[in-house]
Amino acid sequence: MTDMPISTAPKRSLYAQDARTKKRNRAETRFRVYGMAAVITGIIALIVLLTSILGNGLSAFQQTYISYPITLSEDRLDPEGNRDPAEMAAVTTFGYLPVIAMSLQQHLEAEGIDPGMGGRELAAMLSEEAPAQIRAMVLANPELVGTTIDAEILVGGRIDGFFKGRVTMESAERDRNVSPAQLVLAQQLAELGMMETRFNWDFITWPDASGSRPEAAGLGVAIIGSFYMMLVVLALALPIGVAASIYLEEFAPKNRLTDLIEVNISNLAAVPSIVFGILGLAVFINFMNFNQSSPLVGGLVLTLMTLPTIIIATRASLRAVPPSIRQAALGLGASKMQSIFHHVLPLAMPGILTGTIIGLAQALGETAPLLLIGMVAFVREYPDFLSTHSNTFPLMGDGATALPVQVYSWTQRSDPAFVERASGAIIVLLVFLLMMNLIAILLRRRFERRW
């Protein structure tokens, strides 16, 4: 029997930290600090971004209007006196502008207000959309000619900006589109209740306006265009993506061809979106001769861009279903098809729906591919249910736009009021994206099953 050597090493307590333990603890503490700093930095950046967008864009949902009686002079608006809309349509908005300006001047004089300016300067305080509004009202009801109506019309962008803090007396002295005297008069009219700034639903429902009428620009046509394109993406990307995922995950043999397909799907998910725009321009417009800037072409391009995301998310959801589910279904006599569609697919549905909605949300915010297929055009008219160019649905028509493209278009215009409009459009886009993500969460919880 050999005697065991007696250790002469000093005894250490388990509660006493040596140098290595202290070094490891310091490293862990530093990592936690780095992680917390990254989280705080991200939160601060998000707060700054939202503050900037909300600070610049919330005022787009407010608009200033002026209310006063307008005398619709018969000798100017219907010289023949026939009340024929076809004849009255010959009077353009330029003929209506002196009518509303003269009525404003007469009303101010009747109220004992000295405007201190002529009719031309008074007309410059009103929006260029105002004559168009009154003209449309008169053509819809010719009997209004010769009467006095209580009208509410838009003021100009500079006057509207004054009540929103965007235009000041100092800036008006350097601006040829507005004068300090006009701002002083606008303040007097607001105190008398003739001018009022309130919530502007027209920003959501009206179409776009020209560069000289930012106060009349709206998102109505852009929202409809985005809705049409999302319908195309949903109708094509979801069934094609899910079917391709089921085949690749459950039925396709594992060989070099399927490996090549899987690698290319993963690569397509990382391809810049502008490449899909070039592909859509070459295939759908130049080769297939679809109408440029139609919702169908935009939807097809976004479908190509969304398909890899849906396929990857669907395959991951199918792969997450335990193999025991398949084996149990097959053991009870179900066919391969029945086991997939009756058992595997319902269990994978939360992930499939989540991936689909996230893909749609990504497509909703894309701009670059839509610019390449010509969806940056100025669109003033709402699309009809049936296209006026052919007996097809409006998806085949031309002259469509989308929310992100509308934001890009407004940022390119010179009037500073369009910057406010662009920020407001970003808020609307973010609300839609937030709603889509909330729907994804609700659907995931609704269809989630545990095994």
Side-chain angles (χ1 to χ4, degrees):
M1 183 175 181
T2 304
D3 294 336
M4 294 294 294
I6 299 176
S7 175
T8 59
K11 295 182 179 181
R12 293 177 298 178
S13 173
L14 294 176
Y15 298 99
Q17 295 184 359
D18 57 9
R20 293 181 60 187
T21 303
K22 292 179 179 180
K23 181 179 180 181
R24 183 177 60 189
N25 291 340
R26 287 195 299 268
E28 182 178 352
T29 302
R30 286 196 300 270
F31 181 78
R32 290 182 178 180
V33 172
Y34 295 155
M36 184 61 68
V39 172
I40 294 175
T41 302
I43 293 176
I44 293 175
L46 179 61
I47 293 175
V48 171
L49 175 63
L50 292 178
T51 302
S52 175
I53 293 175
L54 295 176
N56 293 326
L58 285 178
S59 56
F61 297 91
Q62 300 285 325
Q63 196 63 46
T64 305
Y65 298 85
I66 181 172
S67 303
Y68 64 95
I70 297 179
T71 301
L72 302 176
S73 175
E74 181 177 3
D75 58 343
R76 287 180 174 272
L77 305 182
D78 188 17
E80 302 297 331
N82 297 325
R83 301 298 188 269
D84 184 3
E87 295 179 357
M88 297 167 60
V91 182
T92 64
T93 55
F94 294 103
Y96 280 78
L97 183 59
V99 173
I100 62 177
M102 186 182 303
S103 296
L104 177 58
Q105 186 173 14
Q106 292 174 352
H107 179 70
L108 293 178
E109 293 174 353
E111 294 291 330
I113 302 174
D114 181 15
M117 60 188 72
R120 185 181 296 253
E121 292 177 303
L122 286 176
M125 296 178 61
L126 306 177
S127 170
E128 293 185 10
E129 184 70 15
Q133 290 178 296
I134 302 300
R135 181 175 182 270
M137 186 186 305
V138 170
L139 293 181
N141 187 7
E143 298 303 322
L144 293 176
V145 175
T147 65
T148 300
I149 61 173
D150 292 327
E152 183 180 69
I153 57 180
L154 290 168
V155 301
R158 295 298 197 276
I159 303 298
D160 178 62
F162 171 68
F163 291 103
K164 296 177 180 178
R166 189 177 64 248
V167 177
T168 62
M169 292 293 180
E170 292 75 14
S171 64
E173 295 177 353
R174 303 184 300 270
D175 193 342
R176 62 183 180 86
N177 294 311
V178 68
S179 65
Q182 290 173 324
L183 299 182
V184 171
L185 178 60
Q187 185 65 45
Q188 294 177 355
L189 297 181
E191 293 173 355
L192 293 174
M194 291 180 59
M195 279 192 184
E196 180 186 10
T197 302
R198 64 173 188 271
F199 188 80
N200 180 27
W201 279 109
D202 297 333
F203 178 64
I204 307 296
T205 59
W206 276 12
D208 193 10
S210 63
S212 60
R213 294 175 295 168
E215 63 281 350
L219 293 171
V221 174
I223 292 176
I224 292 178
S226 293
F227 175 72
Y228 282 157
M229 287 189 294
M230 290 302 104
L231 286 181
V232 174
V233 175
L234 184 62
L236 296 179
L238 180 59
I240 294 175
V242 172
S245 302
I246 293 175
Y247 176 77
L248 290 174
E249 193 63 31
E250 304 291 342
F251 294 99
K254 304 302 180 183
N255 52 33
R256 292 184 177 180
L257 178 59
T258 55
D259 291 341
L260 179 63
I261 293 175
E262 292 176 3
V263 169
N264 280 283
I265 290 175
S266 300
N267 289 335
L268 285 175
V271 169
S273 59
I274 196 170
V275 176
F276 291 99
I278 297 174
L279 176 63
L281 178 64
V283 175
F284 301 126
I285 296 179
N286 295 338
F287 179 73
M288 302 180 68
N289 293 321
F290 286 165
N291 289 333
Q292 188 177 9
S293 76
S294 67
L296 178 62
V297 175
L300 290 174
V301 171
L302 296 180
T303 297
L304 294 177
M305 189 191 69
T306 308
L307 268 175
T309 302
I310 295 179
I311 292 175
I312 292 173
T314 302
R315 293 194 64 188
S317 301
L318 294 173
R319 200 177 298 120
V321 177
S324 59
I325 301 294
R326 300 172 176 85
Q327 296 168 2
L330 295 174
L332 292 175
S335 65
K336 179 76 170 177
M337 185 75 71
Q338 289 174 329
S339 68
I340 293 172
F341 284 92
H342 294 175
H343 301 280
V344 176
L345 195 58
L347 293 175
M349 191 59 66
I352 295 174
L353 293 176
T354 301
T356 300
I357 294 179
I358 290 176
L360 290 174
Q362 179 185 3
L364 180 63
E366 284 295 336
T367 307
L370 302 181
L371 295 179
L372 284 179
I373 62 173
M375 296 195 73
V376 72
F378 172 77
V379 183
R380 176 64 180 171
E381 302 296 332
Y382 284 96
D384 297 326
F385 180 72
L386 291 177
S387 174
T388 57
H389 301 287
S390 61
N391 293 324
T392 57
F393 287 105
L395 295 176
M396 297 293 293
D398 53 2
T401 187
L403 277 173
V405 178
Q406 191 68 75
V407 173
Y408 170 80
S409 174
W410 283 345
T411 57
Q412 303 304 304
R413 300 185 187 179
S414 58
D415 197 304
F418 280 110
V419 177
E420 170 191 88
R421 248 40 183 191
S423 298
I426 292 174
I427 294 175
V428 174
L429 184 60
L430 290 177
V431 170
F432 282 137
L433 295 178
L434 180 61
M435 292 173 57
M436 296 179 71
N437 282 277
L438 289 177
I439 292 174
I441 294 173
L442 294 176
L443 290 176
R444 184 171 67 246
R445 293 183 176 179
R446 170 66 177 82
F447 291 99
E448 187 175 10
R449 299 181 182 180
R450 300 188 182 276
W451 48 79

